[in-house]
Amino acid sequence: MPAVRVDGIEVAYDRVGQGPPLVLAHGATADARLFRPQAEDLADEFTVVAWDEPGAGRSSDVPPGFTLADYARCLAAVVEDVDLGPAHVLGASWGGTVVLELYRHHAELVRTLLLVDTYAGWKGSLSAAEVRSRAEGAERMLAVPAEAFAPTMPGLFAGRPPAEAVRLLSVMSADTRAQSMRTELTIMVEADLRDLLPKIEVPTLLLWGELDARSPVDPVAHQFLEAIPRATLVVLPGIGHLSNIEAPEPFNRTVREFCRAHS
């Protein structure tokens, strides 16, 4: 298991395959295992790197006061540790917000951006009422006794989720740390990265599930498309928020074609 240390925090990641680097950043209540369908399929053409963000999977806990810029700094350390030059960097959901912050501070490490069912922070993409509703729901989950903590998020799938996906999400959810979730919640409620979007100079793929209920195509994906100069939007029909595991074949094909075109 590769790992890199950043100010005493051990950040673990998986690495498979050979070729141009493709770095994958997962969403909340998940870890590198979320991207198994991508690692298995894309490693024939790319060096696929999936991290466990600080506070998830095999990585160290998040320290008090951890910020979005700290997540980005740790992700930058992973890209540098892989040592294959600028990477195609994909972020799903909350991971997309981290990836945007990576670009803000370390644009030289990014060959292309792939933003998947994501946000420019909740404050930057959602209405104030929706942000309040999500924050209140998360606080209710965090308020339960430690032994009863079992984070869930509504609206992840458009239809009946694959049984294997349900099992994977259950395992990752059981491994979620309350402090990690609280840190992410605190950041997302206040994060607004809209100022960054017009400054993005690399080719950017916006990959969305048509029926994403958590980050709707309209308005969220369309806001990205209007703001980012070199953005392309691909919408996967009939698919929800976790598009990479609900529809891995069209998802992987779209990622492969985009990265191949810009490698």
Side-chain angles (χ1 to χ4, degrees):
M1 178 194 72
V4 62
R5 295 191 71 84
V6 184
D7 295 336
I9 300 169
E10 184 168 82
V11 183
Y13 62 91
D14 293 332
R15 173 177 177 166
V16 295
Q18 292 185 332
L22 170 60
V23 175
L24 310 175
H26 59 80
T29 71
D31 54 48
R33 290 173 288 185
L34 182 74
F35 291 114
R36 282 178 178 169
Q38 285 65 58
E40 292 171 357
D41 183 61
L42 298 171
D44 65 326
E45 189 171 351
F46 301 96
T47 301
V48 182
V49 176
W51 82 333
D52 288 339
E53 71 176 16
R58 301 152 296 181
S59 294
S60 301
D61 290 338
V62 285
F66 209 64
T67 67
L68 184 58
D70 292 325
Y71 282 102
R73 185 160 47 89
C74 290
L75 185 55
V78 169
V79 178
E80 291 170 338
D81 196 56
V82 172
D83 197 25
L84 291 176
H88 303 290
V89 186
L90 182 154
S93 193
W94 144 257
T97 306
V98 174
V99 163
L100 285 170
E101 189 73 0
L102 169 74
Y103 185 84
R104 183 191 296 279
H105 296 287
H106 305 279
E108 74 282 358
L109 298 179
V110 179
R111 180 185 299 274
T112 67
L113 286 172
L114 298 91
L115 304 177
V116 178
D117 298 287
T118 189
Y119 316 90
W122 282 353
K123 187 175 182 180
S125 292
L126 305 174
S127 69
E130 178 64 18
V131 173
R132 284 196 301 273
S133 175
R134 294 189 184 196
E136 290 167 0
E139 286 294 345
R140 286 193 295 271
M141 280 192 288
L142 289 164
V144 301
E147 62 274 12
F149 179 64
T152 59
M153 291 187 181
L156 295 180
F157 296 99
R160 187 180 182 89
E164 184 176 345
V166 172
R167 286 192 294 270
L168 176 61
L169 291 178
S170 297
V171 170
M172 290 190 296
S173 177
D175 290 342
T176 297
R177 306 169 208 174
Q179 183 55 46
S180 298
M181 188 171 178
R182 183 174 296 281
T183 300
E184 292 166 349
L185 168 67
T186 302
I187 292 171
M188 284 296 275
V189 164
E190 292 299 329
D192 184 349
L193 281 66
R194 284 176 291 181
D195 68 297
L196 173 67
L197 304 184
K199 303 172 186 175
I200 295 174
E201 297 180 350
V202 297
T204 301
L205 174 67
L206 309 172
L207 184 52
W208 245 259
E210 177 192 21
L211 303 181
D212 186 344
R214 294 196 60 82
S215 178
V217 174
D218 188 11
V220 181
H222 290 161
Q223 291 170 349
F224 277 107
L225 184 62
E226 292 172 6
I228 299 175
R230 300 176 65 187
T232 301
L233 174 62
V234 175
V235 177
L236 300 177
I239 302 304
H241 188 65
L242 287 183
S243 53
N244 73 297
I245 59 175
E246 189 172 3
E249 291 183 6
F251 183 98
N252 294 348
R253 182 172 60 252
T254 303
V255 170
R256 183 187 295 275
E257 291 173 355
F258 176 82
C259 293
R260 179 185 289 164
H262 299 288
S263 289

